[in-house]
Amino acid sequence: MSGESFQLIYIIGLLVIAYWVGSYREKRHYQSIIKREYELNRLPAVNLKTPPEGNFQHELVMGNVTISVDYFKRFLAALHAFFGGRVTSYETLLDRARREALLRMKAVASEKQALLVLNVKYETVSIFKGAGKNIGSVEVLAYGTALMAARNNAQVS
Amino acid sequence: MHKYHNPQPPEGINTSQTHPLWVFVKLFVAIVIVLTAVAWLLGQSGAWLAARVPYAQEARLAERYLSDSVEKNSNSQGKKHPMQGYLESLVSRLAPHMQLPKGMRIQVHYEAEPVENAYATLGGHIFMYKGLLAKLPNENSLAMLLAHEMAHVKLRHPIQATAQSLAISTGIKYLLGFSNMDLLGNAGLYTQLHFSRTMESAADEQGLQAVYKVYGTVNGASDLFVTLQQLRDSDGSDDEVPFFSTHPLDVQRIESLATLATRQQWNTTLKTTPLPARFGEWLSQ
């Protein structure tokens, strides 16, 4: 078998494995995200900066996640980069990363028995160490100010 | 708390609903079409430009990149290999009948390696390997092999094929965003040139004409292709016999050369010339 044939089979093999494993893991991740979003829906996280009236304790809460893009998505993104347009292969990656980061932030706030998370913001970083223009992994940090009931048991209205 | 709430957003609003495999197929087919068209255009332009490079310039380029392999094989311990001398004498007999352009010098090099190959490359250098020579049945077929390679040189095929390869690889790499390109650093490029089938057919025709003029017959010339066909059949793989890689099918070559001989009314029946008596001995040295 010539070197070129071996290289072609190697790339096709990687694409097939990456697509199969990547799709399976993405599906599982989305199922987990939807389930936890439903569970944590009782804790609002908003981007308003003004706290409601009342007496609260407040604390910075954050959640971050780093998700790597699989070989298939990277290959597809390279094709997208050639022709332009929506890089659809990265849309699910960023969607999952933002929702997961927010969920982790909410989980931290929930442990602190927060009533509300204010001033929620995202920071997104592409981690591509040495990979040129390719996006290797993406890190998303979600942070906000958690409001907890003060000792006098204040209510948010 | 009723003032603040996060409704569950509907799924799929931030992601594409098109199946990724369908997107992949569409983009892949599109890029293959684009790259093929670009490669063809680059290859044609490269070959067109290369054919206009003066031969002296090509020879200088060849000296720069082929000097190592030429020195290694053309002269061992100051004494010329008898096979080398024989091949040079054949070249001297064929050259006057090939209408080589002024200043074009053919330099044949005998390679005592069991590779079933022979090739012409930049600067008029022709490399003949022991492995292929050992399989040839008569001098006519050997002369055909040499004349075929000499015709490649005469028609400037090596520089055209080199420029074609360079233009395609450079263009495609540039298009795909590779920045670290070593344009002329790959010496292997010049020893593994791929000539198109059109080039091969042209070299066959000019080679046959020269063989006819030297021997007065084309009988035995097609034995070269019979031998190559046998080698192909016995190996069962093109990889093992590099000479075959881009050449037209041997049966087609034999047929087209027979047609040419008939059209030109060239003799096809005269007895073939045997190889020198010590040919086998030279091969084993």
Side-chain angles (χ1 to χ4, degrees), chain A residues 19 37 41 45 91 99 115, chain B residues 1 4 6 8 11 16 19:
Chain A
Y19 173 73
E37 277 178 345
N41 205 18
E91 285 178 346
R99 288 166 76 172
L115 303 167
Chain B
M1 285 295 290
Y4 304 98
N6 286 146
Q8 184 73 9
E11 285 301 314
S16 170
H19 199 285

Side-chain angles (χ1 to χ4, degrees), chain B residues 41 59 76 79 120 141 193 242 278:
Chain B
L41 200 63
S76 69
K79 191 180 175 186
S141 55
L193 295 174
R278 299 181 66 190

